[in-house]
Amino acid sequence: MSSFLAALLTYPFLSMALLAGGLSAIAGGIIGAYVVTKRIAFISGSISHSVLAGVGLSIFLARCYNITILSPLMGALIVGILSAFLAGWIYLSCRERQDSALAAIWSVGMALGILFLAKSPGFSVELSNFLIGNILWVQRSDLALLALLDGIILITVFFLHQRFAAICFDETQATLQGIRVKSLYFLLLTLIAITTVILMQVVGIILVLTALTLPSATAGLFTKTLSGMMWLGVLIGLACMFFGLFLAYTWNFPVGATIALTAGCAYGIALGMKSKRIGKRGI
Amino acid sequence: MNPSIDVKNVTFGYRERDPVIIDASFQIMPSQLVAIIGPNGGGKTTLLKLLMGFLEPWQGTISIFRKRPTRYPNGIAYVPQMTSFDRQFPMTVFDLVLTGRLFNLPWWGQYRKQDREKAMSALEEVHLEEFAKKPFSSLSGGQLQRALIARALVSEPKIILLDEPLAHLDATAENELVELLGHIRKKKTILMVTHNIQSILSSVEHILCVQGRVDVMTKEQICEHFALGLYHYPLIDAPHEHRLAEGEKK
């Protein structure tokens, strides 16, 4: 551990990676609580995987036409928000067979991304980085964008938390109370898209769902309020980021996968502790 | 006196040429407790959705205190079936009741002191004040129904719709709930879907029998129906006087 702490102080890329991990844990812990309690992990999965289309388009435009205005992060953000609106529209208007339509967003988005990357000249090292994540590549500009997105999430949730909680728990009641359920739902999905882009930097597109849901699901086992679930989820996320980075540094493992595995282990241990506690009470 | 609910010639269905509610007309006056009965798939929940303004009738009109119910908040509170939401949702009983004050939430998104006080008063009214800080997942079926009624009360509605509140309750919880509803009806109009008409029969004024058509019956007429063993069948296609006469012949 001491060598890892020394390395954090010595190598700027490592401290920047930890900072990026911390910023993503904040977003993941807060938005993940809504994803877990509203049980929309599949919708979130389709949004998160479709962002590959944006990443692919950005690289394709840069390499084929020298258009660099659209960075991979911005491309992912735009496609993520578009997918969020599409997924929201599917959820609200076609109650039947919506899983098939969401699967279509999931797979078509990924297919478009792979197609763009295949048609981009040169070696596509970015593909694996975006798919499985490489937090060690984070630049200062990325950190600034991650901090901005975190700020947007925190401010939005501060003002709208009670309304978001209401639509997560009981849409019918929220409608009767005059809450604009559809608008809020689209906004929530947009925040999920933003969080996805933040987390993509750390764990990659394939593992985004893990980082989005597991810290919150773990926290949910020990808290009785949604806000408690959020803050504990953030703390668990921060711990997973730190230990994941430490383990990856120590054993030379891929960082994103190690962080996701750490989150998985934390969830497994928490489930075990919870069931033991329930067993002791004899329930 | 103006009716709380005025339904005139309402027909509605989810698919073309397949109406679920056919030419329904009835009025419900303030402070009445009305039960809604009928078989599964008969249109009871659809009727509630029409009254709440979630569905638009194909034809006919619905007035809630002389206004269309599609503008929210519309003075209606809804107590859903216990199975219709996530019982593991992380929320205290107090926070659950507080969601009944959402309509009064200011732009900065934090409940005001008076909203919190009203939520606590509603909990006291249903005798659940000692459970305020407990997670709502820890409540029994009867306690949960009372908490949901507290949430309905705190929104200060004129009408409360309840969807099968007596389902899955034991006899004690059922009696407590019926007693509570009897107390609330002094101030509110109550419509209640139930399959357990015997438990509520002494408290209700009318019973809406919903099976495509909506027949308004008194409790005496319903008792006759039960006595003749004609619970759902006779509601299908004949006026109830005729059906009763048929039943007597048999």
Side-chain angles (χ1 to χ4, degrees):
Chain A
M1 178 63 88
S2 58
S3 67
F4 173 65
L5 293 174
L8 272 177
L9 297 172
T10 314
Y11 305 116
F13 75 92
L14 211 54
S15 51
M16 275 169 54
L18 191 62
L19 201 54
L23 289 170
S24 64
I26 293 169
I30 292 172
I31 298 301
Y34 296 126
V35 172
V36 169
T37 53
K38 187 137 180 75
R39 300 180 186 228
I40 50 172
F42 192 65
I43 292 180
S44 311
S46 65
I47 294 170
S48 61
H49 285 73
S50 68
V51 301
L52 187 65
V55 174
L57 179 65
S58 152
I59 292 167
F60 176 76
L61 289 175
R63 291 208 190 143
C64 293
Y65 301 101
N66 210 23
I67 300 170
T68 52
I69 193 165
L70 189 73
S71 69
L73 213 57
M74 285 306 290
L77 196 60
I78 291 166
V79 172
I81 291 170
L82 285 176
S83 303
F85 274 78
L86 194 55
W89 178 77
I90 289 167
Y91 174 78
L92 293 167
S93 46
C94 12
R95 294 277 175 175
E96 289 170 37
R97 300 205 182 269
Q98 55 170 280
D99 53 340
S100 314
L102 291 169
I105 297 178
W106 186 311
S107 47
V108 168
M110 287 208 89
L112 277 173
I114 292 166
L115 215 62
F116 280 130
L117 287 167
K119 288 292 168 191
S120 304
F123 180 61
S124 280
V125 68
E126 290 96 338
L127 178 61
S128 66
N129 281 330
F130 282 110
L131 283 176
I132 60 171
N134 196 342
I135 198 173
L136 302 175
W137 272 29
V138 171
Q139 306 291 311
R140 277 186 191 280
S141 58
D142 294 333
L143 278 181
L145 185 61
L146 293 185
L148 176 72
L149 295 177
D150 258 4
I152 291 171
I153 288 170
L154 282 169
I155 291 168
T156 313
V157 168
F158 177 80
F159 287 108
L160 296 176
H161 172 65
Q162 301 295 353
R163 293 176 175 91
F164 281 146
I167 65 164
C168 287
F169 177 63
D170 188 349
E171 284 180 19
T172 307
Q173 180 69 17
T175 307
L176 279 171
Q177 301 269 326
I179 298 294
R180 292 179 181 176
V181 172
K182 285 185 183 177
S183 312
L184 279 170
Y185 189 67
F186 280 116
L187 184 57
L188 183 59
L189 290 183
T190 305
L191 291 181
I192 290 171
I194 292 174
T195 310
T196 294
V197 174
I198 295 174
L199 291 171
M200 184 186 78
Q201 292 284 311
V202 181
V203 292
I205 289 165
I206 293 173
L207 300 174
V208 158
L209 213 51
T210 317
L212 190 60
T213 54
L214 286 186
S216 302
T218 309
L221 296 170
F222 300 104
T223 53
K224 59 179 182 180
T225 63
L226 189 55
S227 48
M229 185 175 173
M230 281 177 178
W231 298 122
L232 189 58
V234 169
L235 289 177
I236 291 169
L238 284 171
C240 291
M241 292 294 168
F242 182 81
F243 283 108
L245 201 57
F246 162 67
L247 294 175
Y249 173 81
T250 309
W251 292 325
N252 196 23
F253 280 176
V255 183
T258 312
I259 290 170
L261 273 176
T262 311
C265 288
Y267 183 59
I269 292 166
L271 267 181
M273 282 166 66
K274 178 87 176 177
S275 57
K276 204 173 172 185
R277 211 166 61 174
I278 289 171
K280 270 186 184 170
R281 272 194 260 143
I283 297 168
Chain B
M1 192 190 284
N2 291 322
S4 304
I5 298 171
D6 192 3
V7 174
K8 282 183 186 154
N9 307 110
V10 165
T11 298
F12 174 81
Y14 296 98
R15 278 180 292 238
E16 223 175 319
R17 293 184 203 150
D18 186 14
V20 178
I21 300 287
I22 305 159
D23 198 28
S25 293
F26 59 89
Q27 285 188 337
I28 294 169
M29 305 308 283
S31 293
Q32 281 192 334
L33 198 163
V34 174
I36 302 175
I37 62 166
N40 291 332
K44 302 186 296 296
T45 303
T46 302
L47 182 63
L48 292 189
K49 285 181 181 173
L50 283 163
L51 294 177
M52 286 189 278
F54 292 166
L55 303 170
E56 280 277 339
W58 286 354
Q59 61 184 56
T61 57
I62 297 174
S63 306
I64 306 293
F65 290 99
R66 297 172 134 187
K67 286 181 187 160
R68 288 180 67 206
T70 45
R71 285 195 150 201
Y72 302 105
N74 58 10
I76 293 179
Y78 176 61
V79 178
Q81 288 185 38
M82 275 194 280
T83 49
S84 70
F85 52 83
D86 179 10
R87 285 198 62 176
Q88 297 305 313
F89 196 91
M91 188 184 257
T92 63
V93 176
F94 181 74
D95 287 341
L96 168 73
V97 176
L98 205 49
T99 60
R101 299 295 297 174
L102 274 170
F103 70 96
N104 203 35
L105 200 62
W107 64 268
W108 61 88
Q110 313 302 318
Y111 288 107
R112 295 184 177 97
K113 193 183 167 199
Q114 63 261 37
D115 294 322
R116 295 179 174 277
E117 285 168 357
K118 284 186 178 179
M120 191 45 94
S121 303
L123 272 174
E124 283 165 9
E125 197 170 344
V126 300
H127 311 298
L128 281 181
E129 60 272 27
E130 72 269 31
F131 292 91
K133 296 292 169 202
K134 297 207 166 166
F136 95 98
S137 56
S138 67
L139 297 182
S140 68
Q143 289 165 340
L144 179 58
Q145 277 299 349
R146 284 192 278 145
L148 291 170
I149 289 171
R151 179 180 71 165
L153 287 174
V154 84
S155 67
E156 296 170 348
K158 293 170 182 166
I159 299 166
I160 301 180
L161 308 180
L162 299 105
D163 201 351
E164 298 195 30
L166 303 177
H168 316 297
L169 299 189
D170 61 32
T172 313
E174 205 176 272
N175 290 338
E176 283 173 1
L177 199 66
V178 170
E179 195 181 320
L180 178 65
L181 292 175
H183 172 67
I184 293 167
R185 66 175 290 192
K186 291 170 191 162
K187 298 172 281 182
K188 317 278 180 196
T189 305
I190 299 177
L191 256 83
M192 179 176 139
V193 170
T194 185
H195 284 291
N196 192 356
I197 188 68
Q198 290 90 336
S199 304
I200 196 82
L201 201 57
S202 60
S203 309
V204 297
E205 267 91 14
H206 297 291
I207 295 107
L208 298 181
C209 304
V210 183
Q211 188 170 2
R213 279 184 21 199
V214 178
D215 290 313
V216 183
M217 292 192 175
T218 62
K219 48 189 167 188
E220 291 76 22
Q221 287 168 327
I222 280 290
C223 286
E224 273 184 278
H225 265 68
F226 283 136
L228 294 167
L230 301 171
Y231 178 46
H232 292 136
Y233 170 74
L235 305 175
I236 294 170
D237 50 20
H240 71 264
E241 291 85 355
H242 173 69
R243 295 194 301 264
L244 284 172
E246 286 289 305
E248 279 164 9
K249 276 182 202 169
K250 283 176 193 170

